[in-house]
Amino acid sequence: MTSATEALPDNPDLLKAMLLAERAESERLRQIIKELQRHRFGRRAETLPEEQLQLGLEDVEQVEAAGQAESEANVPAERQERAARRRANRGALPAHLPRIETLVDLASTICPGCSGPLHRIGEDVAERLDIVPAQFRVLVVRRPKYACRTCEDLVMQAAAPARLIEGGLPTEATVAQVLVSKYADHLPLYRQAQIYARQGVNLDRSTLADWVGRAAFLLRPIYERLLDRLRASSKLFADETTAPVLDPGRGRTKTGQLFTYARDDRPWGGTDPPIVVYVYAPDRKAARPIAHLAGFSGVLQVDGYSGYKVLAERGNVQLAFCWSHVRRHFYELVQGGAAPIASEVLTRIAALYRIEGEIRGRSAEERRAIRQQRSLPLVEAFQPWLREKLSLISQKTKLAEAIRYALSRWAGLCLFLEDGRIEIDNNVVERAIRPIALTRKNALFAGSDAGAEHWAVIASLIESCKRLGVEPHGYLTDVITRIVNGHAQSRLDDLLPWSYPLMPQLQVVA
């Protein structure tokens, strides 16, 4: 029987090479295991998600408030001092909110000292924010009928107002509320039905679904027009995310895709309004973005998905790649343990981002000039450094994969240096995907391909409203009402989100 030692080769160089290969493979496998463990048990974002941070702060602030309430109950002077600070710091309530005034006056205006009349010298006015819980009401439309005493067969009556749901219960504002709750506030229809039931209004989930489907059909021409305007842009962002869709034939869900396309020129002072459009596709083939962006010519900022490369090869499209995606590969290596090369990569990329933070909001010409002066030398030194490190490490490691990912896309990564309109990363469109992920988490899956298309139509209008600062409920209510009342198809531009008044204080939230 041959021993393990006798089976080893006699050549020391070959033995050393075999040992190095085994170590490299072992290190690669350990890194994969760490990634799987982090994916399964750890958080998946590079930074703590804002909503998770807010949840933690809520509890801390609640405990602090309870402690303050307890101390104020025991020390009246402290209660008065804090009340004075609140009055000084709380700011003014929005002017558009209705005011309901209550007069708190003296029971008698007779002076208690001399019994003479008191005269008014001023007043204190205090405003408090009040909320009336969501409340249903019934709009009753009466249409009198008229007859002529002479003409027996003549009966006249005003025409019934147009409705989205003929013979149905909801007003256009009610339907808009269901749409906003589902696609902006991420409340599935069955949860909305539960909320309405608490008000004594029993609406089946299937009834709400009927309303959503009819509204999506009505809004599709506006969505198509929005997509046309998007294609006419000279610079876009693109990304995609999964959209689980029920597949009744197989008794489980299939994985569709929601492609996301965005335009946002505000970082360099562009005047075109921001747009976000989602397009559903049943798969992730390269033919999908090619069809979605038919006629588009310009710069497309993307991640590493190969389908966009096919698009660029077919037309006048330049691909700008994302430094955030490059950074993510090295960040994962640093999270897995000591990784000096990956740490140095993160430091070098951070230097580029610091420059970008300083020039955000400046004109495209200024941005390009500063990048040429400050960022270009950093990038020019970065590439040979990466090639040098790649030559020194095993080609089978995750570090080598991360370096090759960056080097294979280097031309697209450097495109932002030559054009001040281009961003350093694809985060604009990634932020647009976040609401989709929240809706997907709460709803689990779309019921069909057509349902996923409805999701894309309505979510596109709502997300574009949010980017612009247009209140989505008021927008959808007005648009649905105008279309129902015969708004001309030739004037669809009047119904696009940027044709509506903006609310500057409206925050873009997921």
Side-chain angles (χ1 to χ4, degrees):
M1 182 175 178
T2 305
S3 67
T5 304
E6 292 173 343
L8 293 175
D10 295 332
N11 188 331
D13 292 335
L14 180 58
L15 178 60
K16 183 179 180 180
M18 289 176 61
L19 289 174
L20 289 175
E22 288 294 330
R23 287 176 184 172
E25 180 64 15
S26 176
E27 177 60 29
R28 177 175 173 274
L29 293 174
R30 274 199 296 269
Q31 186 62 41
I32 291 173
I33 291 170
K34 287 179 181 178
E35 286 184 16
L36 291 172
Q37 288 174 330
R38 190 163 61 251
H39 180 80
R40 176 66 180 85
F41 302 109
R43 57 185 176 87
R44 303 182 188 183
E46 296 180 29
T47 57
L48 185 66
E50 183 178 351
E51 59 269 19
Q52 295 298 321
L53 179 61
Q54 296 294 342
L55 286 174
L57 290 176
E58 285 175 11
D59 289 338
V60 173
E61 290 163 348
Q62 289 168 20
V63 173
E64 181 185 5
Q68 289 180 356
E70 182 178 0
S71 65
E72 289 173 6
N74 298 325
V75 185
E78 187 175 338
R79 180 171 66 247
Q80 294 174 1
E81 180 184 349
R82 286 207 174 102
R85 286 204 299 266
R86 290 190 197 101
R87 293 190 188 97
N89 297 329
R90 68 185 183 182
L93 291 172
H96 71 273
L97 296 179
R99 262 64 176 175
I100 299 174
E101 295 192 359
T102 300
L103 179 65
V104 181
D105 207 348
L106 296 173
S108 171
T109 57
I110 301 299
C111 177
C114 66
S115 299
L118 298 174
H119 67 279
R120 187 168 177 170
I121 60 172
E123 65 178 4
D124 288 333
V125 178
E127 291 190 341
R128 300 168 65 201
L129 183 63
D130 188 36
I131 293 179
V132 178
Q135 188 177 40
F136 287 91
R137 61 182 184 179
V138 179
L139 301 185
V140 180
V141 178
R142 299 185 184 277
R143 294 189 297 131
K145 293 182 179 181
Y146 296 92
C148 176
R149 297 186 185 277
T150 305
C151 305
E152 295 181 359
D153 296 333
L154 179 66
V155 176
M156 298 187 67
Q157 184 182 36
R163 297 183 183 186
L164 172 63
I165 313 294
E166 289 295 336
L169 291 173
T171 64
E172 286 66 42
T174 302
V175 175
Q177 177 62 33
V178 172
L179 299 179
V180 171
S181 296
K182 179 174 173 62
Y183 296 106
D185 300 329
H186 323 296
L187 281 173
L189 297 182
Y190 79 90
R191 291 187 190 171
Q192 293 189 51
Q194 293 171 352
I195 293 170
Y196 301 152
R198 292 200 296 267
Q199 296 271 356
V201 178
N202 294 313
L203 293 169
D204 292 337
R205 180 202 50 77
S206 59
T207 299
L208 299 180
D210 178 73
W211 299 355
V212 172
R214 292 176 181 275
F217 171 77
L218 195 79
L219 294 169
R220 180 170 283 277
I222 304 174
Y223 165 80
E224 297 288 353
R225 181 59 179 155
L226 197 66
L227 185 55
D228 287 341
R229 294 292 295 269
L230 189 84
R231 294 190 188 104
S233 308
S234 61
K235 186 180 73 67
L236 295 177
F237 300 87
D239 203 351
E240 67 288 330
T241 188
T242 58
V245 176
L246 195 62
D247 190 359
R250 297 190 297 169
R252 56 192 177 92
T253 61
K254 61 182 180 180
T255 303
Q257 297 287 326
L258 275 172
F259 286 84
T260 307
Y261 305 101
R263 177 180 74 193
D264 195 341
D265 297 338
R266 291 173 295 182
W268 54 272
T271 57
D272 287 336
I275 300 175
V276 175
V277 175
Y278 306 102
V279 184
Y280 172 74
D283 54 53
R284 200 167 177 247
K285 296 177 181 177
R288 303 302 179 180
I290 291 173
H292 301 162
L293 296 178
F296 168 70
S297 177
V299 176
L300 187 65
Q301 191 137 18
V302 297
D303 58 12
Y305 168 49
S306 59
Y308 301 121
K309 182 179 179 181
V310 178
L311 171 66
E313 292 170 350
R314 293 171 59 96
N316 299 320
V317 176
Q318 276 186 297
L319 295 185
F321 287 113
C322 173
W323 280 93
S324 179
H325 280 79
V326 171
R327 179 187 183 278
R328 197 165 298 160
H329 292 288
F330 294 98
Y331 174 85
E332 291 171 353
L333 294 170
V334 171
Q335 290 297 102
I341 295 177
S343 298
E344 174 64 18
V345 170
L346 295 184
T347 300
R348 289 174 179 249
I349 294 177
L352 295 175
Y353 270 88
R354 280 194 295 273
I355 298 171
E356 290 302 304
E358 295 173 15
I359 64 176
R360 183 167 297 276
R362 300 195 187 186
S363 69
E365 293 76 14
E366 287 182 282
R367 281 156 57 104
R368 182 186 180 281
I370 294 173
R371 286 169 175 172
Q372 288 286 311
Q373 179 186 4
R374 298 174 57 188
S375 301
L376 180 59
L378 299 179
V379 174
E380 287 180 336
F382 198 0
Q383 186 185 29
W385 182 85
L386 284 174
R387 292 192 182 281
E388 178 192 355
K389 298 304 177 184
L390 182 61
S391 67
L392 299 176
I393 61 176
S394 169
Q395 302 303 299
K396 295 181 179 180
T397 61
K398 300 292 287 185
L399 177 60
E401 289 179 15
I403 294 176
R404 284 196 296 269
Y405 177 92
L407 292 175
S408 65
R409 294 163 175 80
W410 201 255
L413 289 170
C414 296
L415 203 58
F416 82 106
L417 299 169
E418 304 296 332
D419 190 338
R421 302 171 306 156
I422 300 174
E423 292 297 295
I424 192 173
D425 55 38
N426 209 28
N427 290 348
V428 165
V429 73
E430 289 204 351
R431 286 193 294 272
I433 283 178
R434 199 171 299 156
I436 294 294
L438 288 172
T439 299
R440 179 178 60 209
K441 182 178 180 180
N442 287 331
L444 299 183
F445 51 80
S448 64
D449 287 337
E453 290 175 4
H454 294 166
W455 185 357
V457 168
I458 300 168
S460 297
L461 297 177
I462 288 176
E463 187 62 25
S464 293
C465 282
K466 287 161 59 179
R467 290 298 172 98
L468 285 158
V470 173
E471 198 281 302
H473 178 268
Y475 166 76
L476 289 173
T477 300
D478 186 72
V479 166
I480 293 172
T481 301
R482 290 167 72 174
I483 294 177
V484 164
N485 284 281
H487 187 87
Q489 290 282 324
S490 60
R491 294 172 51 216
L492 284 178
D493 283 0
D494 296 344
L495 304 182
L496 294 175
W498 54 82
S499 299
Y500 283 73
L502 308 184
M503 297 180 63
Q505 295 180 348
L506 186 65
Q507 297 291 322
V508 176
V509 294

